[in-house]
């Protein structure tokens, strides 16, 4: 396993940390939401911030800093990571009332964790 502490002390080498806050801009955030098809409201719930915060970040009123910028960077880089923050559950009582729609669940890929057999699914309303 790579030891980060040793890397920082290695003579003749310099370790730099990416300046994520320069990468995660209002435009970056808006494109991320559009690419992942996530509303401001849902993203706010996932990040544990208010919807107004997301709105102000996208408008450039407030800077996107710290942990939030790093998490947004990772959500953009790894497609599957967003799926870790929410669960799709069927509400049988509601589904019986709404006979107009049928939900078709299509398996897309296996979850990365080896200890579970859970699969990610794509949901289509037909």
């Amino acid at each position: 396993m790579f030891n980060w502490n040793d890397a920082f002390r290695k003579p003749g080498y310099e370790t730099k940390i990416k300046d994520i806050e320069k990468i995660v801009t209002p435009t970056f955030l808006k494109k991320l939401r559009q690419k992942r098809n996530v509303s401001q409201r849902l993203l706010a719930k996932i990040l544990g911030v208010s919807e107004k915060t997301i709105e102000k970040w996208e408008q450039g009123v407030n800077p996107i800093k710290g942990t939030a910028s790093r998490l947004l960077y990772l959500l953009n880089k790894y497609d599957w990571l967003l799926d870790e923050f929410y669960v799709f559950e069927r509400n049988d009582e509601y589904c019986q009332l709404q006979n107009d729609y049928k939900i078709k669940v299509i398996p897309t890929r296996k979850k990365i964790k080896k200890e579970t057999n859970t699969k990610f699914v794509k949901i289509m309303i037909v």
Side-chain angles (χ1 to χ4, degrees):
M1 178 187 243
F2 186 78
N3 187 332
W4 285 102
N5 291 323
D6 289 345
F8 281 105
R9 287 180 249 155
K10 201 101 166 150
Y13 290 91
E14 184 179 355
T15 304
K16 295 182 180 181
I17 305 295
K18 281 186 181 181
D19 192 353
I20 301 297
E21 291 173 10
K22 286 186 179 177
I23 298 169
V24 180
T25 62
T27 306
F28 177 96
L29 176 58
K30 193 165 189 173
K31 285 181 181 177
L32 167 67
R33 278 195 325 97
Q34 290 170 345
K35 184 168 123 180
R36 300 284 184 255
N37 196 23
V38 176
S39 67
Q40 286 183 341
R41 177 175 288 164
L42 180 57
L43 185 60
K45 285 183 179 183
I46 289 169
L47 296 177
V49 298
S50 72
E51 200 173 333
K52 276 285 188 201
T53 299
I54 302 294
E55 186 179 307
K56 288 181 179 183
W57 283 347
E58 286 190 3
Q59 292 171 351
V61 175
N62 292 347
I64 310 167
K65 291 184 171 185
T67 306
S69 67
R70 285 155 178 75
L71 180 56
L72 289 166
Y73 175 81
L74 292 173
L75 288 172
N76 184 63
K77 188 167 182 160
Y78 301 106
D79 294 343
W80 56 268
L81 191 56
L82 191 63
D83 297 338
E84 293 293 320
F85 289 95
Y86 57 88
V87 177
F88 178 79
E89 293 179 348
R90 180 180 169 160
N91 181 332
D92 288 331
E93 185 177 317
Y94 178 80
C95 289
Q96 287 173 0
L97 296 174
Q98 302 293 324
N99 288 331
D100 299 343
Y101 298 102
K102 293 180 181 175
I103 296 176
K104 185 176 183 182
V105 178
I106 305 164
T108 56
R109 60 189 161 96
K110 289 186 179 180
K111 201 167 188 175
I112 291 175
K113 294 179 184 174
K114 291 180 181 176
E115 65 270 6
T116 66
N117 289 329
T118 308
K119 293 182 181 178
F120 286 111
V121 294
K122 184 192 290 184
I123 307 301
M124 290 178 46
I125 298 177
V126 290

